[in-house]
Amino acid sequence: MNGGVLERVEAYGKHLFYWWEGSLVLHVHLGLYGRFQNHRSPPPDPRGAVRLRVIGSQHAFDLNGPAACEVMQPADRDRIAARLGQDPLRKDADPDVAWDRIRRSRTAIGTLLLNQSVIAGVGNVFRSDVLHALKIHPERPGQSLDRTQFDQLWQTLQRMLRTGVKYNRIVTADPVEVGKTPGRMRREERLLVYKKHSCHNCGQAIDSWKLGARTIYACQRCQT
DNA sequence: AAGAATGTTATGTA
DNA sequence: CTACATAACATTCT
């Protein structure tokens, strides 16, 4: 990559693609614990699993512990993109494609939301919180949602994901209700149900169980 | 210091 | 073909 020109950076779901002059693509997926860390130049000695280090005259950054950090061809990128579902943040997203998938499925909506080939970009925090925001029970089959609910789901995800990009952190709670800007909200104030103990609507204890191989959080009274 | 975690993929089963 | 449980992978944090 030394001396190359970065032409553009593309996000598709949780995948990042850095397009370099000369048809090389750097593919990055942060996975569970990947992290970008900024430094001033010159950067300190690498700490932990540094897979990529970029050094400029003023600034530098490391990429620590990503699930993927590899150079590939555009065709490889296309293969990855082809197995992803619609990404609510992308201009080319077609919600009807996602709706078609969900309306035909007997699988729980909580499981569908984690399936990156249905909707790309939603993770374990967003799936719990978006379902709580819409008062939809995670075990409801995709089939049981109506179009209005799906539209709300799509819209709310768009809003939540955009907020995440803007503030570089997950903020699913309503800042107006909390009375703070998203940037100033404390960790516990930012989320709706994920890892919470009681429901902020009704006060009932939040339930958590395994759904789709991960822990989901929901209010059994509010979410039906 | 064992275990959970803001995740994905491969594999086996039904 | 779909659905889905499970394991494997790999790093960080508590």
Side-chain angles (χ1 to χ4, degrees), chain A residues 93-169:
Chain A
D94 181 356
D96 288 342
V97 174
W99 168 232
D100 235 42
R101 197 67 194 278
I102 290 169
R103 68 192 287 217
R104 291 169 197 285
S105 178
R106 282 161 293 183
T107 300
I109 186 63
T111 302
L112 290 171
L113 285 175
L114 277 193
N115 186 340
Q116 300 299 298
S117 78
V118 176
I119 295 181
V122 178
N124 204 27
V125 176
F126 287 115
R127 79 152 169 175
S128 281
D129 279 17
V130 76
L131 290 176
H132 188 267
L134 301 182
K135 300 190 194 305
I136 296 173
H137 197 284
E139 303 279 3
R140 285 262 304 273
Q143 283 186 328
S144 74
L145 302 205
D146 59 33
R147 179 69 206 226
T148 306
Q149 285 177 311
F150 170 77
D151 288 340
Q152 288 175 345
L153 189 70
W154 184 263
Q155 263 193 7
T156 308
L157 281 175
Q158 272 187 336
R159 195 193 73 228
M160 288 177 169
L161 292 168
R162 268 194 214 115
T163 303
V165 170
K166 183 168 176 185
Y167 294 96
N168 198 30
R169 55 176 55 149

Side-chain angles (χ1 to χ4, degrees), chain A residues 179-197:
Chain A
K180 296 183 183 179
T181 68
R184 289 187 183 280
M185 286 157 72
R186 330 179 61 191
R187 173 178 279 281
E188 324 82 70
E189 294 172 327
R190 289 179 212 138
L191 304 183
L192 294 174
V193 268
Y194 184 77
K195 284 187 177 170
K196 296 272 184 180
H197 295 112

Side-chain angles (χ1 to χ4, degrees), chain A residues 184-219:
Chain A
R184 289 187 183 280
M185 286 157 72
R186 330 179 61 191
R187 173 178 279 281
E188 324 82 70
E189 294 172 327
R190 289 179 212 138
L191 304 183
L192 294 174
V193 268
Y194 184 77
K195 284 187 177 170
K196 296 272 184 180
H197 295 112
S198 64
C199 177
H200 75 86
N201 291 332
C202 74
Q204 178 167 298
I206 292 300
D207 229 17
S208 66
W209 68 96
K210 290 284 179 203
L211 178 62
R214 307 192 67 71
T215 308
I216 188 141
Y217 297 79
C219 175

Side-chain angles (χ1 to χ4, degrees), chain A residues 39-42 55-60:
Chain A
H39 298 294
R40 316 192 61 152
S41 279
I55 306 175
S57 58
Q58 303 292 312
H59 304 281

